[in-house]
Amino acid sequence: MKPITLALLIAVSAIISTGCSSGKKSMNTSGTVSLKEVFKNDFVIGAAVNNGQINERDSGSAALLQTHFNGLTPENIMKCEIIHPEWDRYDFTLADKLVELGKKYNSPVYGHTLIWHSQLSPFIQKIQSVDSFRTFFTEHITTIASRYDGKVKSWDVVNEALNEDGTLRKSAFLNKLGEDYIVEAFRLAQKAAPNTELYYNDYNIEQPKKRAGAIAIIKKIQAAGVRIDGVGIQGHWRSYNVPMKEIEESIKEFAALGIKVHFTELDLGVLPNPWDNDAADVNMKAEYSAKMNPYAAGLPDSVSAKQAQSYAELFQLFLKYRKDVARITFWGVQDGQSWLNGWPIRGRTNYPLLFDRKYQPKAAFYKVVETKTKPADAKKSF
Ligand code: XIL
């Protein structure tokens, strides 16, 4: 055998024996398997962070965030009601802290969100005239986007502008400014934040009608000569009912528009949904009943296995489209902190993420890692 062929053989068998992406390379310096390392050639692995995490009062989360994630999204603190509480007052305290945390953790911040109908400050409801509303709209976007230009990686410029049938949601923005408000928001963001990626973000936009609505929005922005860099599919799905086909079709259709696809708020809840759907409208609420909270005493193995399988299938899909999919952000770090314990029914016990209430990796974690490594490597060091 020629020396060159032999060298090639040795190299190939070394790659195969470590499961393509080397087990060692998927670990951090302490020998722990690390999500961000495992997927470092594929996509960013992000997490939404809450106040305790931003204020560094949660050492368990701090460790997980630094080991596994390389993108941070503020779960709430960049929303209007917190960052812009009164007409002429902004409060950047927590947002500035988050930017500092991002530097400390070497994890870029993905801003969420500039224009959204929920979690608005009370003063906005009182604005009467269209002129004043437009002033609020312009100043809100310009002030925040320019302050963080170069400090955040992206903005969800507009969040959840669509109804399920693909028409525009009747929000204060639509009512006061008309349907061009979305293009206008992107135009303002582009001007204020030339160095920041700009996304449209929504839930259920993998579903055909709503997807068509999102595509119409994106095309309209592009036709106006305004920049849009990506679309955010939120990804609040039920672990027993993930719409894989629609997700795949969406990645293809959105990517065909020349933009990146981000999964911005991924969590796969295990609990029944009162309306048997995947809408993630934060204003929807339902009554508590024990029947709707079946796993208060713990997550049964069969449910955990199903969730792990769904996560694995999703990640296999993301990997198939790794050229188009730029980021997977989980909506939280560990199960106990997930918004799905309180929404749409208060006081339930949900298990939607990859880490449990004791900050330990779940079956789903290992299955996700195994989409890239051998099972033995995935289990190392936990
Ligand atoms: C949620 C937060 O997780 C909760 O803490 C808050 O009470 C309500 O909002 N879609 C979004 C997110 O775009 O901002 C929402 O976050 C979840 C649904």
Side-chain angles (χ1 to χ4, degrees), residues 86-377:
E86 291 171 81
W87 174 266
D88 51 2
R89 188 167 70 83
Y90 290 83
D91 185 347
F92 296 119
T93 321
L94 286 164
D96 287 354
K97 266 198 182 141
L98 174 62
V99 168
E100 287 312 307
L101 194 73
K103 282 189 210 153
K104 182 171 164 182
Y105 288 1
N106 204 10
S107 259
V109 172
Y110 293 81
H112 174 78
T113 169
L114 293 172
I115 295 299
W116 187 32
H117 64 280
S118 287
Q119 293 180 270
L120 286 169
S121 296
F123 78 87
I124 291 150
Q125 268 193 334
K126 295 183 197 129
I127 303 175
Q128 297 289 334
S129 80
V130 168
D131 276 357
S132 302
F133 196 91
R134 190 173 293 284
T135 303
F136 151 71
F137 181 81
T138 305
E139 289 185 356
H140 180 81
I141 295 173
T142 307
T143 306
I144 300 168
S146 61
R147 181 182 180 93
Y148 293 106
D149 190 34
K151 295 185 175 163
V152 300
K153 173 96 177 150
S154 69
W155 274 110
D156 294 338
V157 179
V158 175
N159 193 32
E160 301 180 355
L162 289 164
N163 294 314
E164 297 306 290
D165 66 359
T167 58
L168 288 183
R169 183 192 286 272
K170 289 203 176 2
S171 67
F173 302 103
L174 183 68
N175 296 346
K176 285 273 191 331
L177 303 176
E179 56 184 34
D180 286 343
Y181 85 88
I182 301 177
V183 174
E184 217 33 58
F186 276 81
R187 201 192 303 277
L188 290 164
Q190 173 178 12
K191 194 161 168 236
N195 304 301
T196 309
E197 292 174 6
L198 309 177
Y199 311 141
Y200 175 71
N201 193 55
D202 211 331
Y203 58 82
N204 275 355
I205 47 170
E206 69 282 357
Q207 295 299 339
K209 284 187 186 153
K210 205 165 176 181
R211 185 200 311 155
I215 289 172
I217 286 176
I218 294 160
K219 284 188 167 164
K220 193 170 168 183
I221 295 167
Q222 292 174 327
V226 175
R227 178 165 62 87
I228 175 165
D229 302 286
V231 62
I233 300 176
Q234 290 188 5
H236 299 291
W237 295 302
R238 292 166 288 167
S239 55
Y240 47 89
N241 192 33
V242 181
M244 297 294 297
K245 277 216 182 75
E246 286 81 5
I247 298 169
E248 176 157 15
E249 195 50 39
S250 306
I251 297 174
K252 286 194 214 159
E253 289 186 19
F254 287 132
L257 302 173
I259 58 171
K260 290 283 177 202
V261 179
H262 298 246
F263 290 85
T264 49
E265 306 187 13
L266 182 61
D267 48 22
L268 299 186
V270 300
L271 297 180
N273 176 283
W275 309 281
D276 194 27
N277 69 24
D278 291 316
D281 188 331
V282 296
N283 301 309
M284 286 163 70
K285 291 197 169 32
E287 279 293 303
Y288 180 90
S289 70
K291 191 173 135 249
M292 295 304 276
N293 191 23
Y295 311 129
L299 186 62
D301 285 348
S302 61
V303 181
S304 168
K306 174 70 196 153
Q307 178 187 50
Q309 185 198 334
S310 296
Y311 262 119
E313 282 169 20
L314 252 186
F315 270 75
Q316 271 150 9
L317 183 66
F318 297 155
L319 286 169
K320 180 171 170 193
Y321 292 94
R322 54 195 282 281
K323 279 205 190 71
D324 306 312
V325 176
R327 169 172 57 110
I328 316 297
T329 288
F330 292 86
W331 205 241
V333 174
Q334 53 102 321
D335 285 344
Q337 299 162 331
S338 164
W339 75 301
L340 293 176
N341 295 300
W343 180 93
I345 297 176
R346 277 177 165 269
R348 295 201 294 178
T349 308
N350 210 331
Y351 304 81
L353 300 167
L354 299 190
F355 297 93
D356 70 16
R357 286 166 168 76
K358 293 183 175 145
Y359 300 90
Q360 295 304 306
K362 295 161 56 182
F365 172 91
Y366 296 115
K367 285 287 179 213
V368 164
V369 172
E370 282 169 31
T371 60
K372 290 282 288 191
T373 62
K374 290 189 299 184
D377 287 336

